[in-house]
Amino acid sequence: MASPQTGIFALGTAAHAYLEFDVIPSADAAIAVSSVARLREPRTTIGGVNLVAGYRPELWAIVAPDAAPAGVVGFNEPIHGGSDRDMAATQHDIVVWIAGASYDVVFDTSRAIVAELMGCATLAHEIVGWQYHHDRDLTGFEDGTENPSIVEAMSVALVPSGLVGEASSLLLLQQWEHDATSWEALPIGSQESIIGRRKSDSEELDPKPPMSHVARTDQDRFGKIFRRNVAYGSVTDHGTIFVGFCGSQGPLARMLESMVGRGSEPPDHLMTVARAVTGAYYVIPSADRLAAFGAEDRA
């Protein structure tokens, strides 16, 4: 039975970096994929960090068709809906997520990875994340209230056994920029109506406001996902890094379409005070297939 990349489920890390790379046009894509697969080796990593590596779905399907989940596509076009804020598409070829107890080891590992991939891939986007008051985002609300337990997360986040790509995962990575001035000017009751929960204890409002974030991303309706969101940014420019894992792309895609208000659906009111400035999907291969790919290149 295949095993997942364990960093997906390694909770409790305070410092994070998300490195997105583009394969150099003159480089061999298979060599670039293998170079990323070898990053788990001690010579290119520093103790105390978790690494999770993934690939643009179309790239992974080319180099590893035997391990590519069916029907998965990149975030290749912006998502348009009924809202005045669309969701940006900024798909890249490779993602490496580094997480650790402190940013010094994350920083050192990030530099080592960029140096290791030099010659086959260039760093296209880098974002640093950190935990905010344990389990809250920068709106002050608890984040991930509906997250499954670690035991349940395995069945939610991974491609089931017996399917092509088993033990791999689909990652949706987005950078959400907060309009902090507008948000903080709102009374608590208005903030709660936008989120769909009480700020004090994270209990859902009953009934759910139809344009609330809770209503527009209802996992009972769209399917379960496993989130590893963290905060990012400076005093004047900050927000949330959405890090969502699922065993299939459908629940993630349907939630995004619901948020922008596709068709006759109302848009998510959260998008009046936050906007997605990046958006990408990545296949996170199983640890076994990733290790085998790296070994094939050395053979």
Side-chain angles (χ1 to χ4, degrees), residues 224-235:
K224 299 292 185 181
I225 64 173
F226 178 58
R227 295 190 295 174
R228 293 292 310 274
N229 299 358
V230 292
Y232 80 89
S234 64
V235 171

Side-chain angles (χ1 to χ4, degrees), residues 37-234:
R38 294 196 306 271
L39 291 175
R40 299 171 68 87
E41 294 183 3
R43 69 186 178 89
T44 56
T45 63
I46 296 173
V49 300
N50 296 305
L51 290 183
V52 174
Y55 305 93
R56 174 199 288 263
E58 294 86 352
L59 173 62
W60 184 243
I62 290 170
V63 300
D66 62 312
V72 181
V73 296
F75 204 134
N76 300 319
E77 299 290 340
I79 300 178
H80 306 289
S83 66
D84 60 355
R85 289 192 176 182
D86 300 328
M87 289 189 183
T90 58
Q91 184 69 54
H92 298 288
D93 293 323
I94 296 165
V95 67
V96 182
W97 168 28
I98 309 105
S102 59
Y103 186 62
D104 52 356
V105 292
V106 170
F107 175 79
D108 288 343
T109 305
S110 297
R111 293 192 65 215
I113 288 171
V114 171
E116 182 71 13
L117 298 184
M118 189 178 299
C120 65
T122 57
L123 182 63
H125 184 246
E126 173 189 5
I127 186 166
V128 172
W130 31 272
Q131 279 191 325
Y132 181 69
H133 293 292
H134 302 291
D135 56 3
R136 297 187 180 270
D137 64 26
L138 292 174
T139 66
F141 282 77
E142 185 176 333
D143 195 8
T145 302
E146 292 190 16
N147 243 7
S149 67
I150 287 297
V151 174
E152 296 170 323
M154 291 282 187
S155 62
V156 168
L158 302 178
V159 175
S161 176
L163 296 183
V164 175
E166 66 176 283
S168 63
S169 185
L170 284 308
L171 165 64
L172 170 60
L173 182 65
Q174 290 180 298
Q175 179 182 343
W176 281 85
E177 181 183 80
H178 294 186
D179 181 349
T181 301
S182 296
W183 175 257
E184 290 165 1
L186 294 171
I188 297 298
S190 296
Q191 293 181 0
E192 291 177 336
S193 181
I194 289 174
I195 299 297
R197 295 184 182 278
R198 292 200 301 260
K199 199 168 189 177
S200 59
D201 58 11
S202 201
E203 285 295 314
E204 283 191 11
L205 301 183
D206 186 14
K208 299 174 187 176
M211 295 178 68
S212 69
H213 187 57
V214 166
R216 303 316 313 147
T217 61
D218 186 352
Q219 294 192 38
D220 291 331
R221 177 183 176 191
F222 298 112
K224 299 292 185 181
I225 64 173
F226 178 58
R227 295 190 295 174
R228 293 292 310 274
N229 299 358
V230 292
Y232 80 89
S234 64

